[in-house]
Amino acid sequence: MSVLTLASLGFKPSDTTSNFAGGRAIRSPSAKKPSKVWNPDDWWIVPGNNGDDVLSVTDMDPREWNEFPLILIITELADPLDNKLNRFIELYSPNKSNYEIVEDLILVRYEDATGIPRSIPYINLKGMVINQDGFLVLCVEGSWWSTAQCTSTYPPTQFVGTTTGTMKIAIMEGTLPSPQGKIVDIFGVPTSDGGDNDFSDGRALRVRSIETPKNQFLRSDWIIIPGTGSGTVSSSLFDPGLWLDCGAGGCASDPSPSPPSSPSTPSKGKSPKAPAPSAPSKGAPSKGAPSKNKMRKQRRARFVRRV
């Protein structure tokens, strides 16, 4: 007797990419054809017992099959020692590319210890397009970063990141900054003076394995390099649109990211399959460094949703 396999969840018993203990496994609505081969890209895995995301009955939706929600995190804040016009804020989505943001999300900053976000400036993220590699980079007008690297540019007075490295930055739900706004992801503690997250004249880079939004700041999730003494970080050491772990002193050996090819026009709220990225124009990844596509495939199997 032969058995037809219509779908497979997991590659083998020891495969951890399919572990949804205490949580749920949701197939992508775009993966409607049966498959006898396990493809992590077709699934959204939510391990509910991993400490960060605990799921209950109310989080389930039987008889509903919805698209994966947008996951968006802050991955880098730059405050170069040599040129403040080269400041930028880098955001990343591990599960959306070539995607126009339809969610009401804003980027806000906290400058003191009151815990109240500044009413101005703030940046409305709705309508912006996450590029084919999952990045959204916000820059200052007049920087030396290319238009291929920057999603959008702002005058210094309107840029959220044009303060010292003691600022706190958050992705918040809503259309206007509010003390009652729900924080999606944050760098820094809003009620502190910023001393624990000071990256003045340097950079704050998120640890590459941290792909889950955090509504509370955890210092161990970040590599913070103040630009004083041996930690000096100049503009030439930054890499907007490329997420790699770096140690103190910057990333002098990191490859320069190549300008992405022009993406197709995205559909609102949808994330069409992105074209393959072009080959790097300068340098090449160091031996053993994973490609962006490989990194994304490895990440997609570990998607989690904040509850």
Side-chain angles (χ1 to χ4, degrees):
M1 180 180 68
S2 63
V3 178
L4 175 63
T5 302
L6 297 179
S8 174
L9 176 61
F11 176 65
K12 54 186 178 180
S14 60
D15 178 27
T16 58
T17 64
S18 60
N19 179 16
F20 64 99
R24 66 195 304 196
I26 308 171
R27 193 179 187 124
S28 171
S30 62
K32 296 179 179 179
K33 292 184 178 180
S35 174
K36 63 181 180 180
V37 179
W38 164 238
N39 183 1
D41 291 351
D42 290 344
W43 293 84
W44 180 34
I45 306 296
V46 187
N49 59 358
N50 66 357
D52 288 329
D53 298 86
V54 178
L55 300 185
S56 64
V57 174
T58 58
D59 297 305
M60 310 303 173
D61 50 10
R63 293 179 180 256
E64 293 184 19
W65 194 8
N66 300 314
E67 184 56 79
F68 301 161
L70 169 66
I71 298 173
L72 190 64
I73 62 175
I74 303 166
T75 49
E76 184 167 8
L77 302 170
D79 185 40
L81 175 70
D82 57 329
N83 189 343
K84 298 306 179 182
L85 288 179
N86 289 335
R87 286 168 167 157
F88 65 85
I89 298 174
E90 180 186 88
L91 309 180
Y92 176 74
S93 173
N95 73 326
K96 300 290 184 183
S97 61
N98 192 28
Y99 174 86
E100 181 177 342
I101 298 175
V102 297
E103 295 81 358
D104 286 322
L105 296 173
I106 57 176
L107 196 66
V108 302
R109 81 180 181 208
Y110 301 81
E111 290 184 8
D112 47 36
T114 64
I116 300 174
R118 287 288 303 269
S119 59
I120 54 173
Y122 71 93
I123 294 176
N124 186 359
L125 301 178
K126 186 174 183 177
M128 291 190 180
V129 177
I130 297 170
N131 74 11
Q132 65 180 17
D133 296 313
F135 290 99
L136 194 158
V137 182
L138 309 174
C139 305
V140 182
E141 287 183 358
S143 74
W144 72 6
W145 310 120
S146 70
T147 55
Q149 291 171 302
C150 298
T151 306
S152 187
T153 60
Y154 302 85
T157 56
Q158 298 177 24
F159 185 59
V160 170
T162 50
T163 61
T164 67
T166 58
M167 64 182 172
K168 287 83 68 175
I169 298 290
I171 300 172
M172 179 179 287
E173 291 184 357
T175 57
L176 292 171
S178 169
Q180 289 76 42
K182 181 180 178 181
I183 294 174
V184 176
D185 192 49
I186 192 167
F187 171 81
V189 179
T191 55
S192 76
D193 60 6
D196 190 45
N197 59 262
D198 186 3
F199 63 98
S200 298
D201 297 332
R203 74 194 309 190
L205 185 68
R206 200 165 196 143
V207 174
R208 195 169 61 192
S209 61
I210 306 300
E211 300 163 356
T212 307
K214 302 288 182 70
N215 60 11
Q216 293 185 348
F217 177 66
L218 186 60
R219 177 63 178 81
S220 59
D221 287 351
W222 294 84
I223 301 169
I224 298 177
I225 307 172
T228 57
S230 61
T232 295
V233 183
S234 61
S235 299
S236 62
L237 301 179
F238 286 92
D239 49 13
L242 184 65
W243 186 17
L244 296 174
D245 291 350
C246 304
C251 302
S253 61
D254 286 354
S256 299
S258 60
S261 56
S262 299
S264 58
T265 302
S267 300
K268 290 188 177 181
K270 295 183 179 180
S271 178
K273 188 173 180 62
S278 57
S281 58
K282 293 189 294 182
S286 58
K287 186 176 182 181
S291 66
K292 290 180 181 177
N293 283 343
K294 184 175 181 181
M295 289 163 56
R296 291 177 65 79
K297 288 181 179 179
Q298 292 172 338
R299 290 170 181 153
R300 284 180 179 142
R302 303 196 302 273
F303 289 160
V304 292
R305 182 181 69 184
R306 295 206 59 77
V307 177

